[in-house]
Amino acid sequence: MDSKPSKTPNAREIAAQIRDDIAAGKYGPGARLPGAKGYAKKLGVALMTVQRAYGQLAEEGLVEGRPGSGTYVVDPVQGEPTAQQTAASFRDIHAELVRVTAQLADLTKRVAKLEESKGRD
């Protein structure tokens, strides 16, 4: 998110963008995320929106807040996946969920058509 988007993002969308940035290596282990106040201003959202996004990423184990210092990408524990690997996994799961949801919608339409044609017989 290098420039102000035309649509104001919500916390979920901000978290998704940062998750993608982590997966792509833009923010490596130990990297500090943009300050919440400045980032909120840049995106044109409330500070609380960015804080919620950072909180979501913290719940996922990708980042940690350090009081008075900022929010940082976690350094992995030996033998544990890195934040980059975890973020990439989340991205892959999301893509698969989108694919399955589209297939389910298609199947639902097909079943409705079959039921409609059966009713005409």
Side-chain angles (χ1 to χ4, degrees):
M1 296 189 154
D2 292 329
S3 63
K4 188 173 179 180
S6 56
K7 176 190 168 281
T8 305
N10 60 37
R12 183 181 46 79
E13 293 167 334
I14 294 168
Q17 179 60 54
I18 295 170
R19 192 179 305 109
D20 287 346
D21 289 345
I22 291 169
K26 180 175 179 180
Y27 300 111
R32 185 178 186 274
L33 297 183
K37 281 185 184 178
Y39 201 41
K41 185 175 181 179
K42 178 180 178 180
L43 296 175
V45 299
L47 172 60
M48 185 60 108
T49 304
V50 173
Q51 289 172 332
R52 272 189 294 233
Y54 285 4
Q56 181 180 342
L57 295 169
E59 287 176 10
E60 295 170 3
L62 298 175
V63 301
E64 63 182 359
R66 298 180 192 161
S69 181
T71 304
Y72 295 82
V73 176
V74 295
D75 282 319
V77 175
Q78 185 67 26
E80 295 290 320
T82 65
Q84 184 176 4
Q85 291 166 328
T86 303
S89 294
F90 277 120
R91 186 178 54 196
D92 294 344
I93 290 168
H94 179 264
E96 183 65 14
L97 181 60
V98 168
R99 186 186 68 76
V100 169
T101 301
Q103 286 180 330
L104 183 58
D106 182 54
L107 286 173
T108 302
K109 288 178 189 175
R110 291 171 62 190
V111 167
K113 284 181 182 179
L114 286 171
E115 289 175 343
E116 183 181 307
S117 67
K118 185 177 180 182
R120 285 188 243 157
D121 292 339

